[in-house]
Amino acid sequence: MFTTKGRYALRVMIDLAEHEDSGYIPLKEIAERQMISEKYLESILKSLVRAELLKGLRGKGGGYILTRKPSEYPVGEIIEIVEGTLASVACLTSDAEPCEKASNCQTLPLWQNLDKIVHDYLYTVTIADLVNKNV
């Protein structure tokens, strides 16, 4: 299950894409349009700036802008940055300890296939698709 952090990150990216011609967008404007607390939004934006998905500018005329075209942001990348792994079960996370039951696990193929489907889908949908409602 995705948290509000992942859902809000997508809403922020869509908002910035819809207003990309306006230059830097202040945090306050994004928070008001998306009805997200500024404090919570700030933590999400920090993650996105750290990952270089956004650029932030302080001071008068400051705010946030996209660093790429909306079509160059796969949804999966954004979710993984703010949520972490997309893995459906703990044993499939990148930092998981090797499972001693993996060679005999009858459900492992199910989880691997599910993860592949989710990953592939989320990496084919872009912010531009969401802006244009092409999903």
Side-chain angles (χ1 to χ4, degrees):
M1 182 181 301
F2 298 113
T3 67
T4 55
K5 199 168 188 179
R7 296 193 321 265
Y8 288 178
L10 292 176
R11 286 173 43 191
V12 165
M13 297 296 285
I14 293 166
D15 188 285
L16 289 170
E18 290 175 332
H19 297 92
E20 69 180 329
D21 293 338
S22 302
Y24 285 90
I25 308 294
L27 172 114
K28 184 175 182 153
E29 285 183 25
I30 302 166
E32 286 174 1
R33 280 195 296 262
Q34 296 303 317
M35 294 183 281
I36 303 170
S37 90
E38 288 183 43
K39 187 142 183 91
Y40 192 47
L41 184 57
E42 191 172 4
S43 73
I44 294 168
L45 289 168
K46 280 182 184 178
S47 297
L48 297 171
V49 168
R50 197 175 313 117
E52 299 182 357
L53 271 63
L54 300 178
K55 183 177 179 189
L57 181 66
R58 294 180 188 256
K60 186 172 170 74
Y64 297 89
I65 59 170
L66 300 175
T67 57
R68 305 181 224 159
K69 296 176 192 165
S71 62
E72 296 173 354
Y73 288 100
V75 167
E77 177 184 16
I78 297 161
I79 292 174
E80 284 188 311
I81 285 167
V82 296
E83 295 273 0
T85 181
L86 294 173
S88 56
V89 290
C91 64
L92 293 178
T93 62
S94 60
D95 59 349
E97 294 291 323
C99 179
E100 58 197 48
K101 298 177 185 176
S103 62
N104 295 321
C105 182
Q106 293 176 300
T107 61
L108 184 58
L110 168 80
W111 304 125
Q112 289 170 326
N113 289 331
L114 175 63
D115 284 1
K116 181 177 178 358
I117 291 167
V118 169
H119 179 276
D120 291 352
Y121 175 69
L122 292 178
Y123 273 84
T124 60
V125 177
T126 69
I127 291 302
D129 293 327
L130 296 175
V131 167
N132 298 320
K133 298 178 176 134
N134 291 336
V135 182

